[in-house]
Amino acid sequence: MHTTNYKNTFIEVAEDCPVSVAEIPPVKRNKTLANIQLEMVLENPYKYTSDEVLFECFAIKNEIGKDERDEARRNFFSKGQPCFRSSALGKRYGFGVHSDAEGKIAFFPVESEEYQNFLKDDSVKKVKAMRTKRAK
């Protein structure tokens, strides 16, 4: 089984993130993955792991019923999945992602004091969200 979970890690916004103040992703006709991720985690900080959030988003988007989820989860994680480094929240909308020692996640706006504290905390591993554009 593959995993997207990090432990004691902070995913910083991408180097080419276009905002200096976090934005809520706009809702179009249907909620985007970023909308679902943000709702789940902002309402429940440190309740879910990355794997739980990403699979729930997949299940919602693909209308997978509760009785089909165990098998769908096994299939979903039978191959590698993109982690939160590739999420639009860190690439476009200005949210950092902290994973605690248990792998549970919370989001922090780039302009927040908490975000800055994670950057200064040497006990937390730092990685950046993926760039939207290739470096030249």
Side-chain angles (χ1 to χ4, degrees), residues 47-120:
K47 180 177 179 181
Y48 302 109
T49 64
S50 173
D51 282 355
E52 291 168 330
V53 174
L54 295 174
F55 177 73
E56 184 64 19
C57 290
F58 170 80
I60 290 168
K61 286 297 223 180
N62 291 283
E63 299 178 355
I64 297 170
K66 298 278 186 215
D67 55 334
E68 304 169 291
R69 293 218 175 165
D70 287 343
E71 183 179 348
R73 186 180 175 86
R74 278 192 297 279
N75 289 336
F76 185 75
F77 288 111
S78 68
K79 58 186 183 290
Q81 296 295 329
C83 69
F84 268 99
R85 289 188 58 227
S86 67
S87 170
L89 294 174
K91 290 171 67 170
R92 162 67 185 88
Y93 295 108
F95 286 91
V97 183
H98 178 247
S99 299
D100 68 11
E102 297 176 12
K104 308 280 184 170
I105 64 172
F107 297 147
F108 295 91
V110 68
E111 73 278 8
S112 69
E113 185 176 334
E114 295 96 332
Y115 185 100
Q116 297 308 313
N117 290 341
F118 282 119
L119 294 183
K120 296 173 194 167

Side-chain angles (χ1 to χ4, degrees), residues 13-14 16-23 89 91-95 110:
V13 299
D16 63 348
C17 181
V19 299
S20 57
V21 175
E23 298 177 350
L89 294 174
K91 290 171 67 170
R92 162 67 185 88
Y93 295 108
F95 286 91
V110 68

